[in-house]
Each structure stands twice: as structure tokens, then as C-alpha cells.
Amino acid sequence: MFELIRSHQLNVMLMLCGACFILVFLLIFTRFMSGSRKIVLIMMEITAFFLLWFDRMAYIFSGDPGERAYIMVRVSNFAVFFLTSAIVFFFNLYIIDLLTHEGKLPAPPKPLVVTGTLAVVGMLLSVVSAFTGLYYYFDEANRYHRGQGFLIAYIIPVLGPLIQYFVIRRYKKSFSRLIYYSLFLYIFVPIACGILQIFTYGISIVNMSMVAVSVSLYIFMYLDLNNTVEHAHEIEINNMKGEKERMKKLFDQMATAFVSAVEKKDDFARGNAIRIADYAKKIAALAGKDEEECEKVYYSALLHDVGLIGIPDSVIKHDTDPEKRDYEEMRKKPLIGAEILSSITEYPYLQTGAHYSHERYNGTGYPEGLKGEEIPEIARIIGVADAYVTKITRKRYRDAQPEFMAREAFIRGAGDEFDPEYAAIMVKIMDSETNERVDGDAGKPETEIECREYREKVTRGVPVDRKIRRIAFDCDPLPDTVEGFSAPSIILFDSYDGRIHYSEGEIERYGYTEYGEIWFDRHSVITAAVNIEEKETEDSRAGKVTGKDHGYEIRAGRYKDHLKLVMKSADFEKEVTVALPSASKASYIGLTGENCIIRNISTETTGETVGNGDIQRIAKTVSYIEHFESDIGNIQIDQTRSASTEGVELKNRLILRFHTMSLPAATLVWNCPYILLYTSGDGSIGGPDYREIDVVKLDGENDGDKEFTRNSFVMRKTEEFKGWDYWKEANKKGLNCEVILERKKDQISLKTKNLGIEIESTTILKEEQIKVYAALTGDQVALTDIRIV
């Protein structure tokens, strides 16, 4: 090892000298460093350069008897010993600079002052040695030899760094990790090499190591400086982000305050702007827009109606629809809004949103009558969100529309009034929110109501379906009820919002049907139910019904068009069977009473379900599928996907032909057949590893597992399409349908055309080696004569 170094040390020395020279050049142009530290580092690198340069010259001219060599050998050896102490001195200055700047020390630590003094002494001793031969001497052949005091030359280069290290350890927290490592190496590598130097002659291990760690000192310093700059940049970025967030928050507050002030012109519009902005942002996000684009959509939607401030109060507060009565005045609203927002030149999209959000996809909007993609995208999104909030919000001249009506409006208006892509996304948002309400507490009844007059208050309806539910409550007479009737009762009904309705307008809008009223005794009233049969239980007749005072309980379940109730009070129990007019209609239980307080109302599912034969029929079965069966059995789908055909494996090409007819209770455009594509371990719906690939509704909707597949869906209205009212009427009368399915490896295509609604769906499977099955289902529809071609 040492022989290898000895044979190549001159080249190594030259390379290290070159490195020092380059570092000096780089240090001169280094930014983000204090002037004092830059000078110290430059002096350290220059010292290291000359230390190794003169050491190399000493080796080159050693043994050369010439006059020039005579001078160079003596000058070079003097410089080596002198500069060794000089390096300790400048390194000491470097540590002092670090401690007084990063460490914030008011003055250098005393041990460093001592070390600096020792370094100066070392340099003076090298001068003395040059004249006395203390450290070295030369023979007649001009060769270097160690003197009797040679080891003295190593006292300061070893003792000084040790003192420096103890100071560094004491103030370790003042240094970054990289700087600490560089100081540690700078001190101990030369010391270790100095110990080796004692036992090796003819090799300048110490000097080369000192130059090497000088180079490493710059590298570590540069890395630390880079980290410092990055950290400062990160702080600056965070500060800028914080400032941006503060400005955004300020803008949000100002915009919201401005909108709130505008909305005070119309009491029925308060809060609408924020709701529209929230929905517009959801639509944009589901359409794949990034966060910045979503924010633009949000604020454009928030401010899109500010032009309302320029519309006369007489127009806004009239009891009729201003769009119909004062159309010309309302046409000015987007123009006024655009003019107001045009001054915000930093955000031009705000003006765009206000100016074009009342345009319609078919060109019937205002102010310019643009159509299709001529309308800016941001305005098309706002138009959908605005339409939804407007429909479900009560106005001065009309009540709020039920959500199902808003949903149907978007299906009807997709491609006409609304951009079809964003209308479809709005429908999915509505469906998602409906599911969340069903799964959450929104469908639960109130916990307490007070009724003086009969039916003065009725709770929100508790759904009755195949899952058996238990309803429990307490009931007390009103405190001032001395004489007279006081008791709770239940109302069986159906409505789109699960609420009781009385006015003709609400009954029509919410499809309200009341089946009957039942008390916790032997009384009941039939309204729209086909039949109600009551039977007092054996326990009730034997007087064995027990329970706490005023305790009431209902257990309810349903199978198709029949439901069964077990109603218990403290002293009476009965079973009630109710035959409904249709299996397609829903059913709810509402609690009410007379001269009583109903409290501690609770509902829960028991985990039990009602199956075929569990409820004794008390009315004839109403069937619309008593027809000849073909390849697959006929099915009657009374409620959304309540029944389906068996699955048929899709291998290559499959054609399904069938006859469809909407049931009498069907009123909505999506009361039609659905094509279900799925996979499962045994080929059955709901079987092992069941996953839905796609659900295509013949009204032009689709849904599926987007994590499992990629889907391209296109719905077109051809010239044969005669409108949605005709669509519903034709489905009521019945029609023949054909669905063409093809599979090519991981790609599945579906095509169908019915009453002018043309559908093309392409699904790409992410897992190619799976079996795919097709089945028919739907909502309030009868499917017969189902054939496989």
C-alpha cells in the first residue's frame, strides 16, 4: 500500500494542487456566503495548495546538487513546516467565524484564542528551524533528513486540532450535521495520518491528507450552503403560499360578503350562490379538472349572478316568474354582472362565468344565444349547477321541486338545455347524495313530537321493505288533557321524499299516496290500500302482553305488494297485514297521535328479512308477465333492480331481444330496462367475487366500477326521437328491444337503439382473463319474450 503511494505520490500531489486551485476559483464566485468566511476558506485552500506544491518541489529537487535545487529544497521544506501551522491557524479562524455567525457567540472561545496563538508559535518555530536544523537538516548530496527536534514540529498540528475538537463538541448544536462532519474529518484524518507519518519515511501522508480534507471541507460547506439555500427557498415558498392562502381567504371572504349583499335583494336566493359554487366545483372535479381549474370554476360560479344587483326590486320581488314576465329585464343580468367583474382583470374567467352562464346548449339561452361548445366550458358547468340549485330551491312564485324531478330534468335536458357530459355528472352527484342520505341519519324520524289535534304533526317516514325494522317509542297524554281521547297511531303512505303531504300541489309533485291509518287497538282506516287485515295475538287475548308503562313497539317488513306489522303497547298486541295497490310503490310508516307527546323514538334493523311465503296474501297477485316464455324466463321488476334475469356468459357475440313494458305506477324516464354486465365466481348476480362491470339504462344513463374498468359511453338522440313524453308513453304501451354485445379479449362493446335513443358503450377490462355475464334488470318494468341470438 505504502509502496504504491510512494511510487505515485508526485502525481497525487499535483492532482490535489489542481483541486485546490479550482476550489479557490469557485470560492471567488460563490454567492450566499459571508465575506469573512469566503476569505478564510480561500486562504485555507491557498495554504493547502502551496503546502502540497512546496512538498512536491522538495521531493523533486531532493538529491540534486545543482544551485537551483539547493535553494528549492530549502525553501520548499521551510514552506511545508511553516504552512502546516498556517493551516491550523486559518482553520481556527474558520471555526471562530462559524461560532460567531451561526452560533451567535459575542466573542471567540478562549481555547480557540490559545490555539491561534500556538499556531503562530508553530510558524515562528519553523523559521527558527530553518536556521538551526531543529526539525531537519540536509546532507552534502542535498538530501533531507529529520532533525533531533522533528517530533516538536507535530505537537502544534496535533495539539491544536484536539483543542479545536473539544470546542466543536461543546458547541455542536451551533453547527449543521454536514458542517460538523466536515470539521470532524478535517481534524482527525490528518492526526491519524500524522501517527502513520512517524513510522513511514519518504511519504507526505500528512500533507496530502490535509489538502484532501481541505477539499472535502469545501464540498461539505457547499452541500450545507445548498441545503441552507433550499431551506430558505422552502421558507420563502411557504411564506408565498401562506400569503397566497391569506389573499385567497381574503378574496373568498370579500366575494362571499359581496354575494351575500347582492342576495339580500331576494330573500329566496340567500345562500344559493355558495351552493351553486360548491356543486360547480364538484362537477369540475368529477370531470377530471385539476385543483386550480376547480377553484376557477368555484369563484366564477360564486359570482356569476352578481348582475342581480342591477335588476329592479319590482322585477325580483314579483310573485310570478321574472324569466317569463320580465324577460328583457332579466336578459340584462349577465351583462351587468360581466361589466362589474370586468374590472377584475387578474381573473378574467370571473367575467366569462357571469356573461355566459345563462346560455343554453341548444342555443335558446341569453344574452348571445350561443350553442354547444361555442359556450365557454366554465359557463356550461355553472349552468348545470345553477339549474340544479334553482330547481330544488323554493321561489317566491313556486315551491321547491323534488329531487327526482330535478334528476329527470337533467336526463331530459342532456344535449338540449345542458351540456350532456356535465348533466350526466350532475345526475351521478344527485344519486350519490341520495345514497348518503339513505345510509345516514337523514332518513330517520324525529325523536319527539307533540300532537294536540290529530295528525297535527307526523314524523318523517320510516321505510318498510324486506329488512325487518323495529320502531320503539314512549307516549304520554298532554299534561292538560283531563278527559278525552289520547293515543298514538301510525300512517302508512308513499311519497318521493318520505313525508306526509296535504296540499294538492304537493300531493302531485311528491307522488303522495296514503294507504291507511292504524291505531294500537282494534281500529284502522283503509285509504288506498287494497285490503287491511288485523289479528289480535294469543298473548294479547290472554292478557300476557308486558312492557313498561306507555311503551310501544312496531316490527315491520314487506315482500312485494304485502307488508306485515306487529304492533305492541303495554296492554295490547296485534298483527296487521296490508295489501298495497302496487309492488312498485314504496311504503313508509309515519308516527302521529292525538292529545299526546310521542318521545324517545328509535328505529333499528333487526337483521332479519322477509321472504316469499312469510306474509299471508290477502289480495290477488298483480302480474304483467303472464306471457309465453322464450330462452330466458319473464321477469317483473317492481322497484329499482328488485329482480333480474339469469346471467348469460358473453364469449364472443351476443344479441338479446325482448319485449318491455313499463308498469302502471311508472312515471319517470328511467323506469325502463337496464343491461347489467358483471363478473362472479359462479355466474350469478351477487355470487362469489361479484363485481359490476357496467350498467346501461335504455334512457341513456350508465354506471359501473371505474376502478375495475375503463368505459366510453355515448348517447345520441336521432331524428326518430320524439321527446321524453312520447318515450314514457311508448314504454307504457310496450315495445320490442334489441341489444348487441360483443367481446374481443379485454374489450366489450354494447349497442342498442330504441325510440330514437341510440347508445354505444365500450368497456375495457383491466383484467382480461375473467368471465363476463350479461343480464337484464330495470326499474318498474315487465320484461317478456326474452331471446338469445
Side-chain angles (χ1 to χ4, degrees), residues 701-725:
E701 300 179 67
N702 92 306
D703 196 10
D705 189 340
K706 298 300 183 290
E707 294 181 4
F708 184 50
T709 63
R710 288 185 290 111
N711 181 262
S712 171
F713 184 84
V714 178
M715 185 274 275
R716 287 184 291 268
K717 297 174 184 175
T718 68
E719 294 179 356
E720 299 173 15
F721 183 68
K722 299 179 181 179
W724 288 107
D725 290 333

PDB file of all heavy atoms in Angstrom, residues 701-725:
ATOM      1  N   GLU A 701     -78.443   6.393 -19.598  1.00  0.00           N
ATOM      2  CA  GLU A 701     -77.573   6.523 -18.429  1.00  0.00           C
ATOM      3  C   GLU A 701     -76.694   5.289 -18.339  1.00  0.00           C
ATOM      4  O   GLU A 701     -77.026   4.225 -18.863  1.00  0.00           O
ATOM      5  CB  GLU A 701     -78.393   6.635 -17.146  1.00  0.00           C
ATOM      6  CG  GLU A 701     -79.329   7.822 -17.082  1.00  0.00           C
ATOM      7  CD  GLU A 701     -80.116   7.835 -15.787  1.00  0.00           C
ATOM      8  OE1 GLU A 701     -79.504   8.024 -14.726  1.00  0.00           O
ATOM      9  OE2 GLU A 701     -81.335   7.613 -15.837  1.00  0.00           O
ATOM     10  N   ASN A 702     -75.565   5.442 -17.632  1.00  0.00           N
ATOM     11  CA  ASN A 702     -74.742   4.265 -17.378  1.00  0.00           C
ATOM     12  C   ASN A 702     -73.967   4.443 -16.087  1.00  0.00           C
ATOM     13  O   ASN A 702     -73.750   5.559 -15.606  1.00  0.00           O
ATOM     14  CB  ASN A 702     -73.801   3.978 -18.548  1.00  0.00           C
ATOM     15  CG  ASN A 702     -72.444   4.643 -18.397  1.00  0.00           C
ATOM     16  OD1 ASN A 702     -72.367   5.849 -18.193  1.00  0.00           O
ATOM     17  ND2 ASN A 702     -71.385   3.881 -18.528  1.00  0.00           N
ATOM     18  N   ASP A 703     -73.568   3.315 -15.540  1.00  0.00           N
ATOM     19  CA  ASP A 703     -72.785   3.325 -14.310  1.00  0.00           C
ATOM     20  C   ASP A 703     -72.000   2.025 -14.266  1.00  0.00           C
ATOM     21  O   ASP A 703     -72.388   1.029 -14.886  1.00  0.00           O
ATOM     22  CB  ASP A 703     -73.696   3.437 -13.080  1.00  0.00           C
ATOM     23  CG  ASP A 703     -72.932   3.846 -11.838  1.00  0.00           C
ATOM     24  OD1 ASP A 703     -71.752   4.215 -11.969  1.00  0.00           O
ATOM     25  OD2 ASP A 703     -73.512   3.793 -10.741  1.00  0.00           O
ATOM     26  N   GLY A 704     -70.896   2.029 -13.542  1.00  0.00           N
ATOM     27  CA  GLY A 704     -70.082   0.820 -13.451  1.00  0.00           C
ATOM     28  C   GLY A 704     -68.908   1.025 -12.521  1.00  0.00           C
ATOM     29  O   GLY A 704     -68.725   2.100 -11.940  1.00  0.00           O
ATOM     30  N   ASP A 705     -68.094  -0.011 -12.364  1.00  0.00           N
ATOM     31  CA  ASP A 705     -66.927   0.015 -11.495  1.00  0.00           C
ATOM     32  C   ASP A 705     -65.754   0.626 -12.249  1.00  0.00           C
ATOM     33  O   ASP A 705     -65.112  -0.027 -13.063  1.00  0.00           O
ATOM     34  CB  ASP A 705     -66.588  -1.408 -11.038  1.00  0.00           C
ATOM     35  CG  ASP A 705     -65.520  -1.426  -9.960  1.00  0.00           C
ATOM     36  OD1 ASP A 705     -64.779  -0.429  -9.840  1.00  0.00           O
ATOM     37  OD2 ASP A 705     -65.424  -2.427  -9.234  1.00  0.00           O
ATOM     38  N   LYS A 706     -65.477   1.910 -11.983  1.00  0.00           N
ATOM     39  CA  LYS A 706     -64.424   2.606 -12.718  1.00  0.00           C
ATOM     40  C   LYS A 706     -63.019   2.156 -12.295  1.00  0.00           C
ATOM     41  O   LYS A 706     -62.058   2.375 -13.016  1.00  0.00           O
ATOM     42  CB  LYS A 706     -64.570   4.121 -12.519  1.00  0.00           C
ATOM     43  CG  LYS A 706     -65.891   4.679 -13.051  1.00  0.00           C
ATOM     44  CD  LYS A 706     -66.033   4.438 -14.536  1.00  0.00           C
ATOM     45  CE  LYS A 706     -67.296   5.053 -15.111  1.00  0.00           C
ATOM     46  NZ  LYS A 706     -68.527   4.387 -14.692  1.00  0.00           N
ATOM     47  N   GLU A 707     -62.884   1.543 -11.118  1.00  0.00           N
ATOM     48  CA  GLU A 707     -61.584   1.023 -10.709  1.00  0.00           C
ATOM     49  C   GLU A 707     -61.279  -0.283 -11.432  1.00  0.00           C
ATOM     50  O   GLU A 707     -60.126  -0.644 -11.638  1.00  0.00           O
ATOM     51  CB  GLU A 707     -61.572   0.791  -9.196  1.00  0.00           C
ATOM     52  CG  GLU A 707     -61.682   2.077  -8.379  1.00  0.00           C
ATOM     53  CD  GLU A 707     -61.633   1.800  -6.895  1.00  0.00           C
ATOM     54  OE1 GLU A 707     -61.439   0.617  -6.518  1.00  0.00           O
ATOM     55  OE2 GLU A 707     -61.789   2.748  -6.108  1.00  0.00           O
ATOM     56  N   PHE A 708     -62.312  -0.972 -11.821  1.00  0.00           N
ATOM     57  CA  PHE A 708     -62.178  -2.278 -12.441  1.00  0.00           C
ATOM     58  C   PHE A 708     -62.124  -2.176 -13.969  1.00  0.00           C
ATOM     59  O   PHE A 708     -61.594  -3.043 -14.640  1.00  0.00           O
ATOM     60  CB  PHE A 708     -63.367  -3.136 -11.993  1.00  0.00           C
ATOM     61  CG  PHE A 708     -63.354  -4.557 -12.471  1.00  0.00           C
ATOM     62  CD1 PHE A 708     -62.224  -5.355 -12.320  1.00  0.00           C
ATOM     63  CD2 PHE A 708     -64.469  -5.113 -13.055  1.00  0.00           C
ATOM     64  CE1 PHE A 708     -62.216  -6.669 -12.746  1.00  0.00           C
ATOM     65  CE2 PHE A 708     -64.472  -6.423 -13.483  1.00  0.00           C
ATOM     66  CZ  PHE A 708     -63.338  -7.202 -13.328  1.00  0.00           C
ATOM     67  N   THR A 709     -62.685  -1.082 -14.515  1.00  0.00           N
ATOM     68  CA  THR A 709     -62.800  -0.938 -15.970  1.00  0.00           C
ATOM     69  C   THR A 709     -62.551   0.504 -16.392  1.00  0.00           C
ATOM     70  O   THR A 709     -62.531   1.421 -15.575  1.00  0.00           O
ATOM     71  CB  THR A 709     -64.216  -1.327 -16.443  1.00  0.00           C
ATOM     72  OG1 THR A 709     -65.172  -0.413 -15.860  1.00  0.00           O
ATOM     73  CG2 THR A 709     -64.569  -2.731 -16.030  1.00  0.00           C
ATOM     74  N   ARG A 710     -62.375   0.671 -17.708  1.00  0.00           N
ATOM     75  CA  ARG A 710     -62.408   1.993 -18.336  1.00  0.00           C
ATOM     76  C   ARG A 710     -63.552   1.979 -19.322  1.00  0.00           C
ATOM     77  O   ARG A 710     -63.702   1.051 -20.114  1.00  0.00           O
ATOM     78  CB  ARG A 710     -61.084   2.307 -19.037  1.00  0.00           C
ATOM     79  CG  ARG A 710     -59.936   2.587 -18.081  1.00  0.00           C
ATOM     80  CD  ARG A 710     -58.668   3.021 -18.801  1.00  0.00           C
ATOM     81  NE  ARG A 710     -58.064   1.922 -19.558  1.00  0.00           N
ATOM     82  CZ  ARG A 710     -58.016   1.866 -20.868  1.00  0.00           C
ATOM     83  NH1 ARG A 710     -58.563   2.837 -21.606  1.00  0.00           N
ATOM     84  NH2 ARG A 710     -57.438   0.841 -21.481  1.00  0.00           N
ATOM     85  N   ASN A 711     -64.384   3.024 -19.275  1.00  0.00           N
ATOM     86  CA  ASN A 711     -65.607   2.991 -20.059  1.00  0.00           C
ATOM     87  C   ASN A 711     -65.754   4.244 -20.911  1.00  0.00           C
ATOM     88  O   ASN A 711     -65.457   5.357 -20.473  1.00  0.00           O
ATOM     89  CB  ASN A 711     -66.821   2.864 -19.127  1.00  0.00           C
ATOM     90  CG  ASN A 711     -68.128   2.792 -19.891  1.00  0.00           C
ATOM     91  OD1 ASN A 711     -68.826   3.788 -20.035  1.00  0.00           O
ATOM     92  ND2 ASN A 711     -68.459   1.613 -20.404  1.00  0.00           N
ATOM     93  N   SER A 712     -66.196   4.024 -22.161  1.00  0.00           N
ATOM     94  CA  SER A 712     -66.540   5.127 -23.053  1.00  0.00           C
ATOM     95  C   SER A 712     -68.023   4.969 -23.387  1.00  0.00           C
ATOM     96  O   SER A 712     -68.432   3.941 -23.939  1.00  0.00           O
ATOM     97  CB  SER A 712     -65.682   5.075 -24.317  1.00  0.00           C
ATOM     98  OG  SER A 712     -66.142   6.019 -25.273  1.00  0.00           O
ATOM     99  N   PHE A 713     -68.805   5.989 -23.047  1.00  0.00           N
ATOM    100  CA  PHE A 713     -70.258   5.882 -23.208  1.00  0.00           C
ATOM    101  C   PHE A 713     -70.760   7.051 -24.048  1.00  0.00           C
ATOM    102  O   PHE A 713     -70.452   8.205 -23.760  1.00  0.00           O
ATOM    103  CB  PHE A 713     -70.928   5.902 -21.829  1.00  0.00           C
ATOM    104  CG  PHE A 713     -72.424   5.695 -21.888  1.00  0.00           C
ATOM    105  CD1 PHE A 713     -72.969   4.427 -21.947  1.00  0.00           C
ATOM    106  CD2 PHE A 713     -73.285   6.792 -21.878  1.00  0.00           C
ATOM    107  CE1 PHE A 713     -74.342   4.242 -21.999  1.00  0.00           C
ATOM    108  CE2 PHE A 713     -74.653   6.617 -21.929  1.00  0.00           C
ATOM    109  CZ  PHE A 713     -75.185   5.339 -21.990  1.00  0.00           C
ATOM    110  N   VAL A 714     -71.545   6.729 -25.085  1.00  0.00           N
ATOM    111  CA  VAL A 714     -72.103   7.763 -25.960  1.00  0.00           C
ATOM    112  C   VAL A 714     -73.597   7.526 -26.108  1.00  0.00           C
ATOM    113  O   VAL A 714     -74.030   6.408 -26.430  1.00  0.00           O
ATOM    114  CB  VAL A 714     -71.433   7.755 -27.352  1.00  0.00           C
ATOM    115  CG1 VAL A 714     -72.077   8.810 -28.251  1.00  0.00           C
ATOM    116  CG2 VAL A 714     -69.938   7.997 -27.224  1.00  0.00           C
ATOM    117  N   MET A 715     -74.394   8.560 -25.842  1.00  0.00           N
ATOM    118  CA  MET A 715     -75.838   8.503 -26.072  1.00  0.00           C
ATOM    119  C   MET A 715     -76.206   9.600 -27.055  1.00  0.00           C
ATOM    120  O   MET A 715     -75.845  10.757 -26.868  1.00  0.00           O
ATOM    121  CB  MET A 715     -76.606   8.684 -24.764  1.00  0.00           C
ATOM    122  CG  MET A 715     -78.127   8.504 -24.910  1.00  0.00           C
ATOM    123  SD  MET A 715     -79.015  10.016 -25.414  1.00  0.00           S
ATOM    124  CE  MET A 715     -79.249  10.806 -23.832  1.00  0.00           C
ATOM    125  N   ARG A 716     -76.914   9.236 -28.134  1.00  0.00           N
ATOM    126  CA  ARG A 716     -77.320  10.209 -29.143  1.00  0.00           C
ATOM    127  C   ARG A 716     -78.834  10.148 -29.325  1.00  0.00           C
ATOM    128  O   ARG A 716     -79.441   9.068 -29.278  1.00  0.00           O
ATOM    129  CB  ARG A 716     -76.637   9.930 -30.484  1.00  0.00           C
ATOM    130  CG  ARG A 716     -75.174  10.268 -30.529  1.00  0.00           C
ATOM    131  CD  ARG A 716     -74.613  10.054 -31.932  1.00  0.00           C
ATOM    132  NE  ARG A 716     -74.581   8.628 -32.253  1.00  0.00           N
ATOM    133  CZ  ARG A 716     -73.530   7.844 -32.025  1.00  0.00           C
ATOM    134  NH1 ARG A 716     -72.444   8.347 -31.476  1.00  0.00           N
ATOM    135  NH2 ARG A 716     -73.578   6.563 -32.346  1.00  0.00           N
ATOM    136  N   LYS A 717     -79.410  11.313 -29.563  1.00  0.00           N
ATOM    137  CA  LYS A 717     -80.825  11.387 -29.925  1.00  0.00           C
ATOM    138  C   LYS A 717     -80.911  11.541 -31.437  1.00  0.00           C
ATOM    139  O   LYS A 717     -80.457  12.549 -31.985  1.00  0.00           O
ATOM    140  CB  LYS A 717     -81.498  12.572 -29.230  1.00  0.00           C
ATOM    141  CG  LYS A 717     -81.505  12.455 -27.712  1.00  0.00           C
ATOM    142  CD  LYS A 717     -82.043  13.718 -27.063  1.00  0.00           C
ATOM    143  CE  LYS A 717     -81.959  13.639 -25.554  1.00  0.00           C
ATOM    144  NZ  LYS A 717     -82.371  14.903 -24.910  1.00  0.00           N
ATOM    145  N   THR A 718     -81.467  10.557 -32.094  1.00  0.00           N
ATOM    146  CA  THR A 718     -81.562  10.597 -33.547  1.00  0.00           C
ATOM    147  C   THR A 718     -82.835  11.343 -33.964  1.00  0.00           C
ATOM    148  O   THR A 718     -83.612  11.803 -33.126  1.00  0.00           O
ATOM    149  CB  THR A 718     -81.589   9.170 -34.117  1.00  0.00           C
ATOM    150  OG1 THR A 718     -82.817   8.533 -33.728  1.00  0.00           O
ATOM    151  CG2 THR A 718     -80.411   8.358 -33.584  1.00  0.00           C
ATOM    152  N   GLU A 719     -83.036  11.443 -35.273  1.00  0.00           N
ATOM    153  CA  GLU A 719     -84.224  12.129 -35.784  1.00  0.00           C
ATOM    154  C   GLU A 719     -85.507  11.402 -35.395  1.00  0.00           C
ATOM    155  O   GLU A 719     -86.593  11.994 -35.391  1.00  0.00           O
ATOM    156  CB  GLU A 719     -84.136  12.243 -37.311  1.00  0.00           C
ATOM    157  CG  GLU A 719     -82.999  13.141 -37.795  1.00  0.00           C
ATOM    158  CD  GLU A 719     -82.935  13.220 -39.308  1.00  0.00           C
ATOM    159  OE1 GLU A 719     -83.737  12.505 -39.970  1.00  0.00           O
ATOM    160  OE2 GLU A 719     -82.093  13.983 -39.829  1.00  0.00           O
ATOM    161  N   GLU A 720     -85.416  10.131 -35.058  1.00  0.00           N
ATOM    162  CA  GLU A 720     -86.592   9.355 -34.662  1.00  0.00           C
ATOM    163  C   GLU A 720     -87.077   9.695 -33.255  1.00  0.00           C
ATOM    164  O   GLU A 720     -88.183   9.328 -32.877  1.00  0.00           O
ATOM    165  CB  GLU A 720     -86.269   7.858 -34.740  1.00  0.00           C
ATOM    166  CG  GLU A 720     -85.895   7.390 -36.138  1.00  0.00           C
ATOM    167  CD  GLU A 720     -85.420   5.949 -36.134  1.00  0.00           C
ATOM    168  OE1 GLU A 720     -85.651   5.255 -35.105  1.00  0.00           O
ATOM    169  OE2 GLU A 720     -84.819   5.512 -37.124  1.00  0.00           O
ATOM    170  N   PHE A 721     -86.224  10.375 -32.467  1.00  0.00           N
ATOM    171  CA  PHE A 721     -86.613  10.696 -31.092  1.00  0.00           C
ATOM    172  C   PHE A 721     -87.697  11.778 -31.091  1.00  0.00           C
ATOM    173  O   PHE A 721     -87.507  12.867 -31.616  1.00  0.00           O
ATOM    174  CB  PHE A 721     -85.386  11.186 -30.305  1.00  0.00           C
ATOM    175  CG  PHE A 721     -85.667  11.475 -28.858  1.00  0.00           C
ATOM    176  CD1 PHE A 721     -85.972  10.454 -27.972  1.00  0.00           C
ATOM    177  CD2 PHE A 721     -85.646  12.786 -28.388  1.00  0.00           C
ATOM    178  CE1 PHE A 721     -86.225  10.728 -26.636  1.00  0.00           C
ATOM    179  CE2 PHE A 721     -85.903  13.062 -27.063  1.00  0.00           C
ATOM    180  CZ  PHE A 721     -86.195  12.030 -26.178  1.00  0.00           C
ATOM    181  N   LYS A 722     -88.847  11.471 -30.463  1.00  0.00           N
ATOM    182  CA  LYS A 722     -89.996  12.377 -30.478  1.00  0.00           C
ATOM    183  C   LYS A 722     -90.243  13.061 -29.141  1.00  0.00           C
ATOM    184  O   LYS A 722     -91.310  13.629 -28.924  1.00  0.00           O
ATOM    185  CB  LYS A 722     -91.252  11.596 -30.885  1.00  0.00           C
ATOM    186  CG  LYS A 722     -91.168  10.978 -32.275  1.00  0.00           C
ATOM    187  CD  LYS A 722     -92.425  10.201 -32.611  1.00  0.00           C
ATOM    188  CE  LYS A 722     -92.330   9.565 -33.989  1.00  0.00           C
ATOM    189  NZ  LYS A 722     -93.563   8.787 -34.315  1.00  0.00           N
ATOM    190  N   GLY A 723     -89.262  12.995 -28.274  1.00  0.00           N
ATOM    191  CA  GLY A 723     -89.404  13.661 -26.979  1.00  0.00           C
ATOM    192  C   GLY A 723     -89.603  12.647 -25.867  1.00  0.00           C
ATOM    193  O   GLY A 723     -90.012  11.503 -26.068  1.00  0.00           O
ATOM    194  N   TRP A 724     -89.336  13.116 -24.646  1.00  0.00           N
ATOM    195  CA  TRP A 724     -89.378  12.210 -23.500  1.00  0.00           C
ATOM    196  C   TRP A 724     -90.801  11.833 -23.102  1.00  0.00           C
ATOM    197  O   TRP A 724     -91.015  10.744 -22.553  1.00  0.00           O
ATOM    198  CB  TRP A 724     -88.631  12.817 -22.328  1.00  0.00           C
ATOM    199  CG  TRP A 724     -87.146  12.809 -22.542  1.00  0.00           C
ATOM    200  CD1 TRP A 724     -86.353  13.873 -22.829  1.00  0.00           C
ATOM    201  CD2 TRP A 724     -86.291  11.670 -22.512  1.00  0.00           C
ATOM    202  NE1 TRP A 724     -85.052  13.480 -22.987  1.00  0.00           N
ATOM    203  CE2 TRP A 724     -84.977  12.117 -22.783  1.00  0.00           C
ATOM    204  CE3 TRP A 724     -86.495  10.301 -22.287  1.00  0.00           C
ATOM    205  CZ2 TRP A 724     -83.892  11.265 -22.835  1.00  0.00           C
ATOM    206  CZ3 TRP A 724     -85.407   9.449 -22.330  1.00  0.00           C
ATOM    207  CH2 TRP A 724     -84.121   9.919 -22.603  1.00  0.00           C
ATOM    208  N   ASP A 725     -91.755  12.689 -23.327  1.00  0.00           N
ATOM    209  CA  ASP A 725     -93.137  12.321 -23.015  1.00  0.00           C
ATOM    210  C   ASP A 725     -93.583  11.160 -23.902  1.00  0.00           C
ATOM    211  O   ASP A 725     -94.251  10.229 -23.440  1.00  0.00           O
ATOM    212  CB  ASP A 725     -94.064  13.526 -23.199  1.00  0.00           C
ATOM    213  CG  ASP A 725     -93.828  14.586 -22.140  1.00  0.00           C
ATOM    214  OD1 ASP A 725     -93.378  14.216 -21.031  1.00  0.00           O
ATOM    215  OD2 ASP A 725     -94.064  15.779 -22.416  1.00  0.00           O
TER     216      ASP A 725
END
